[in-house]
Amino acid sequence: MLYVFVEGVHITTTVSTQVDGMICSWYIPDIMDYTIDVNKYNLDLSGITSLVFELKTCGRAHILMSSSDVRNSAEPMYEIDIGFDTHKTYIIHRADDSLDSGSRMFSKFLTSNIFNCSVYLPLWISWADGDIKLGTGSVVDENVLEYLTSAPQFEVKAIGVLTDYGMLGSLKIQFEDNFIGYFDSCSMDNTKSDMVVVDDIKCSKSVCVVSCVMSRTCMGINFNTAMTSCELLSFGSDVVTDIPFHIEAGWRFYSKCFNVETACLGCYFDNR
């Protein structure tokens, strides 16, 4: 099970698993099939190079970062295998699912007291510049435990989490550039809203959403992924009875929501 909710800029994820035995990318070809898929909750992973999280578990935990947005285990991946034999941790790079010796590399180190059954312990992972690092605390690049150097680089497009031996694991994960609140896209693809544009910026979708959340006047965004173009939208001073749209290739309108997803403005007008 995976429960996700937004609290400030934190994504809290609770994971439980019934996987039996030892599971690891080193000897399981289809390892991604055993993981809980973080992407299924529409979290924006584009461009991230680090992960800050808190771990609470009685046993071994795994964080897998895949280059495949469809979780194809044959594609390159990194794995952080925390707490093997209670006191060891592995940082693994795997090029494919052949399990050939030349397709894998790892770094092994001692990590006593790396997990706790009742207390969340803060950890971070970084994979910038080909160095896959693991550290303690909530500040990336501080308190480094170990790293795997010169690993082939790729963009992380999917993240899977796993606790084996049927152990219950709980993770609180904070993603880069995540947002406060809830947005929904109630319109079709290639649809742009004609609300008042209060700002027009070049940025990622996550930064665009954050910018809108931080503005009281912003009621939604138009975003173009190919152009990384963001328009912050307002109703202006007029009484609003509808949200006007027009067809424009590559754009999509996202409406700000209130009371979680129960009152998304764009959906309200579309379905009134």
Side-chain angles (χ1 to χ4, degrees):
M1 295 182 294
L2 181 63
Y3 301 100
V4 179
F5 64 93
V6 179
E7 182 182 39
V9 293
H10 299 278
I11 302 290
T12 300
T13 307
T14 302
V15 180
S16 63
T17 178
Q18 299 297 321
V19 177
D20 295 324
M22 294 192 302
I23 303 296
C24 177
S25 66
W26 195 258
Y27 50 84
I28 300 293
D30 57 345
I31 182 65
M32 291 301 292
D33 294 344
Y34 292 85
T35 66
I36 299 295
D37 180 13
V38 171
N39 301 54
K40 68 190 289 187
Y41 291 88
N42 299 317
L43 305 178
D44 186 2
L45 306 183
S46 57
I48 70 170
T49 57
S50 64
L51 192 70
V52 179
F53 62 100
E54 297 177 40
L55 173 66
K56 181 175 70 172
T57 181
C58 292
R60 192 177 178 198
H62 307 253
I63 313 292
L64 292 107
M65 295 154 287
S66 172
S67 62
S68 169
D69 55 5
V70 294
R71 294 163 45 81
N72 183 352
S73 295
E75 297 300 319
M77 68 176 65
Y78 308 131
E79 180 185 9
I80 310 296
D81 180 356
I82 301 171
F84 175 74
D85 281 349
T86 304
H87 61 277
K88 299 175 186 174
T89 290
Y90 287 79
I91 299 176
I92 298 170
H93 168 265
R94 196 177 85 172
D96 52 47
D97 61 351
S98 67
L99 305 186
D100 293 337
S101 59
S103 69
R104 302 170 297 179
M105 57 191 300
F106 73 95
S107 175
K108 179 180 71 173
F109 50 102
L110 296 178
T111 48
S112 300
N113 303 317
I114 194 66
F115 48 73
N116 190 296
C117 294
S118 56
V119 176
Y120 282 100
L121 302 178
L123 298 163
W124 57 265
I125 303 166
S126 172
W127 53 91
D129 303 321
D131 292 335
I132 321 308
K133 302 177 185 177
L134 174 68
T136 59
S138 57
V139 180
V140 175
D141 285 332
E142 289 188 2
N143 305 315
V144 179
L145 292 174
E146 186 57 79
Y147 52 89
L148 176 65
T149 61
S150 303
Q153 297 182 55
F154 56 78
E155 180 183 358
V156 170
K157 297 181 179 178
I159 295 177
V161 294
L162 163 70
T163 52
D164 51 5
Y165 293 110
M167 293 284 188
L168 175 66
S170 179
L171 295 96
K172 293 182 179 179
I173 303 175
Q174 179 181 337
F175 291 89
E176 296 175 355
D177 293 336
N178 274 295
F179 57 88
I180 303 168
Y182 189 96
F183 280 67
D184 201 358
S185 179
C186 308
S187 61
M188 301 295 290
D189 286 332
N190 303 315
T191 302
K192 192 175 183 183
S193 172
D194 295 320
M195 292 165 60
V196 177
V197 177
V198 294
D199 202 359
D200 188 351
I201 56 178
K202 295 279 289 184
C203 63
S204 69
K205 187 189 295 183
S206 297
V207 172
C208 185
V209 170
V210 169
S211 300
C212 186
V213 169
M214 294 178 67
S215 169
R216 288 190 176 186
T217 60
C218 182
M219 291 292 108
I221 63 171
N222 288 324
F223 190 78
N224 188 307
T225 300
M227 299 166 59
T228 60
S229 186
C230 162
E231 293 182 350
L232 305 184
L233 305 174
S234 170
F235 289 138
S237 58
D238 296 331
V239 175
V240 177
T241 59
D242 201 354
I243 295 180
F245 299 96
H246 71 271
I247 301 300
E248 189 166 340
W251 288 88
R252 191 168 185 126
F253 168 68
Y254 295 83
S255 170
K256 184 179 270 188
C257 302
F258 299 91
N259 297 322
V260 195
E261 67 268 37
T262 59
C264 301
L265 295 174
C267 306
Y268 172 80
F269 286 116
D270 284 350
N271 296 289
R272 69 187 190 282

